[in-house]
Amino acid sequence: MAPYILALTLLALVSSRAIASDPSPLQDFCVADKNSPIFVNGFVCKDPNLATPEDFFFPGLDKPGNTMNKVGSNVTLVSVAQLPGLNTLGISIARIDFAPNGLNPPHTHPRATEILTVLEGTLCVGFVTSNPDNKLFAKVLNTGDVFVFPQGLIHFQFNPAASSAVVLSGLSSQNPGVITIANAVFGAKPPISDEVLAKAFQLDKNTVDWLQAQFWVNN
């Protein structure tokens, strides 16, 4: 019976690995049909005979994003929502612009690993491992440098310089998702109880209420 148990164990491991990422394509391409009423994990395929070059094209990553905001950064994401030809291909791309002292705040991508290369400027980047270690891996990057952020881990990018910075990021999902930690915790709708947050962050309720107000001011 031992060989059968081993075979079943290996099959389970392989299956779990396959399920843990975007599904592999079973044809040359599967352009997303965003008008389909059918709900599936991803998008229904458009009839391949109706596909056009525009389904595989996105213009504009040469244009700087608007960094005139509280954090001083802007992410221009090209995922399946912007480029339907990415459907089932398990990849997306983003341009990130940073004003001087601009920050892409601590966040996670629940469905993707991110690999980043600096096109212009200097960045301080890092990620934190999961509990219980919570170890910080951080590095100062310059033009041409590359850094990778493992899937699901909290990470950030900060421009410490007095000049702008630009990076290009590849993500291992057609729809990587993003959870910005501060927005999710203090800007949840409806709000998380201030009693819960006060205990979790070891703060008084007045401080929690003030923090929540910062994220609700524009909602």
Side-chain angles (χ1 to χ4, degrees):
M1 293 295 291
Y4 294 103
I5 294 173
L6 177 60
L8 287 172
T9 302
L10 290 173
L11 179 61
L13 288 172
V14 171
S15 299
S16 65
R17 175 67 179 171
I19 294 170
S21 60
D22 285 4
S24 298
L26 299 177
Q27 59 279 318
D28 288 345
F29 55 81
C30 172
V31 173
D33 182 357
K34 297 179 185 178
N35 297 318
S36 173
I38 300 173
F39 186 81
V40 297
N41 184 25
F43 290 93
V44 173
C45 300
K46 177 194 287 189
D47 183 339
N49 293 319
L50 300 178
T52 71
E54 299 304 311
D55 292 322
F56 304 91
F57 173 76
F58 178 90
L61 281 189
D62 59 318
K63 296 179 175 61
N66 183 4
T67 58
M68 299 293 290
N69 52 59
K70 288 184 177 180
V71 294
S73 70
N74 183 281
V75 179
T76 304
L77 176 65
V78 184
S79 68
V80 68
Q82 294 78 30
L83 185 57
L86 288 176
N87 195 35
T88 75
L89 298 185
I91 194 169
S92 55
I93 192 170
R95 170 180 172 142
I96 312 175
D97 291 274
F98 297 85
N101 296 311
L103 170 70
N104 190 10
H107 62 281
T108 73
H109 300 294
R111 294 179 290 277
T113 292
E114 176 180 358
I115 186 167
L116 172 152
T117 184
V118 181
L119 301 181
E120 178 185 320
T122 298
L123 284 182
C124 175
V125 306
F127 66 85
V128 179
T129 62
S130 55
N131 298 350
D133 294 337
N134 301 131
K135 184 176 180 180
L136 172 65
F137 288 81
K139 188 79 174 172
V140 175
L141 306 181
N142 296 299
T143 301
D145 290 343
V146 175
F147 199 83
V148 65
F149 306 97
Q151 180 173 340
L153 297 187
I154 295 174
H155 59 283
F156 63 89
Q157 298 109 22
F158 173 66
N159 176 14
S163 55
S164 299
V166 183
V167 307
L168 201 63
S169 286
L171 300 119
S172 62
S173 172
Q174 67 179 42
N175 182 26
V178 62
I179 302 171
T180 304
I181 307 306
N183 298 61
V185 171
F186 295 107
K189 308 179 191 68
I192 298 172
S193 163
D194 58 1
E195 184 175 3
V196 170
L197 295 181
K199 190 161 188 176
F201 288 92
Q202 297 298 289
L203 299 170
D204 62 80
K205 289 185 181 180
N206 288 335
T207 301
V208 170
D209 292 341
W210 181 85
L211 286 168
Q212 289 178 314
Q214 308 313 301
F215 291 91
W216 275 79
V217 66
N218 294 320
N219 292 341

